Amino acid sequence: MDATALTSPASLCTLPDSLYVGVSTKMYMGYARSLEWLEQLVAEVDARPALAAGRVVPFVIPSFPVLPAAAALVAGSPLVLGAQDCGWADGPWTGEVAPSMLAELGVGLVEIGHAERRRHFAEDDAVVALKVGAAVGSGITPLLCVGEAEACAPEAAAEFVFHQIKAAVSGDWAMAARLVIAYEPVWAIGAPEPASAQYVSMVVGALRDALAQHGLPGLPVIYGGSAKPGLLPQLSGVSGLFLGRFAHDAANFGRVLDEALAQPTGC
């Protein structure tokens, strides 16, 4: 990418360089069921040799106790292993899991700042920033969850999300370049239907314009919030989908992978 591309409005480019398709189990599955499902997920990925090219990046985020066995299951697969959260340091933090240990287990990506963590565990921007810094310091990519609480104008939603990203990296845009952004409007999480494709595309387009001012027009921004098969082809400028319960049927995960592989990328 040349220097002029870095300073041009992001809206001129609506085709991401890479697409990400991922899923979290949250706490919906027990241990044995998680491993059975992971085997099915690996089979879906292995059935699509085109994923080896890396243009579409699949990832999976099981619960903490499953991670060691999951690492063995996904070894040699294009699937990137993720964790659902992390602590912000090693040391005397009872019940937390350090990013350094996650890295040792083979975790490549960690979900940080999900709306449930912000709402129910009182994680504010300062805590999110500590976790983002710790994850980056351990060589793990933060999957930073952002999103407005209520439906509003796309420009207002994009401004809110932009400030969440800025706070998460304490204004360090070089660190922001290490992130994958999961845009999940809070009002759409768990809803029967996701936010409209037009709304999501407009929010992400406005967000990219803001990020372009800091040299980050191509930062991966994926959409979550009741995302399911059939949505990705309707979106513009979005770098993939973060799936929930729809992908607890591994075949649905495979369907979205096919949609991603069929999408054009690059500008």
Side-chain angles (χ1 to χ4, degrees):
M1 181 177 292
D2 60 27
T4 57
L6 292 175
T7 56
S8 299
S11 57
L12 296 179
C13 175
T14 59
L15 298 176
D17 291 331
S18 298
L19 293 173
Y20 296 77
V21 176
V23 54
S24 167
T25 63
K26 299 194 177 186
M27 292 175 62
Y28 286 113
M29 299 182 190
Y31 188 84
R33 171 60 184 141
S34 293
L35 297 185
E36 177 187 13
W37 172 78
L38 277 166
E39 290 178 349
Q40 296 168 355
L41 215 64
V42 170
E44 292 289 338
V45 170
D46 288 347
R48 293 161 174 83
L51 292 170
R55 186 176 68 85
V56 174
V57 181
F59 65 88
V60 60
I61 307 181
S63 54
F64 279 130
V66 179
L67 287 175
L73 281 172
V74 306
S77 163
L79 264 174
V80 175
L81 183 62
Q84 294 183 18
D85 189 28
C86 68
W88 57 77
D90 298 337
W93 306 103
T94 302
E96 294 296 296
V97 179
S100 59
M101 179 178 286
L102 295 177
E104 190 176 350
L105 288 171
V107 168
L109 163 148
V110 60
E111 192 175 355
I112 297 174
H114 191 278
E116 293 159 356
R117 303 293 311 179
R118 296 178 190 261
R119 177 181 179 185
H120 298 294
F121 297 90
E123 293 191 0
D124 58 13
D125 288 342
V127 170
V128 170
L130 286 171
K131 291 185 174 186
V132 166
V136 170
S138 296
I140 300 176
T141 297
L143 178 66
L144 177 66
C145 298
V146 295
E148 71 281 12
E150 299 179 357
C152 56
E155 295 78 9
E159 182 178 4
F160 181 84
V161 167
F162 173 81
H163 285 293
Q164 282 186 307
I165 297 170
K166 181 178 180 180
V169 296
S170 302
D172 182 349
W173 295 107
M175 181 181 290
R178 304 281 298 276
L179 307 178
V180 173
I181 305 300
Y183 170 54
E184 299 182 310
V186 177
W187 54 270
I189 297 174
E193 294 294 331
S196 73
Q198 181 182 21
Y199 179 87
V200 173
S201 298
M202 291 177 69
V203 172
V204 174
L207 176 61
R208 290 200 184 282
D209 286 342
L211 292 170
Q213 304 307 310
H214 299 276
L216 298 172
L219 190 68
V221 181
I222 67 177
Y223 173 71
S226 299
K228 57 185 178 181
L231 177 61
L232 184 59
Q234 301 178 49
L235 298 174
S236 174
V238 177
S239 307
L241 294 180
F242 189 19
L243 303 165
R245 283 170 288 175
F246 286 103
H248 294 175
D249 178 344
N252 281 337
F253 188 78
R255 289 170 59 193
V256 178
L257 288 177
D258 288 336
E259 293 172 354
L261 288 167
Q263 291 287 103
T265 57
C267 292

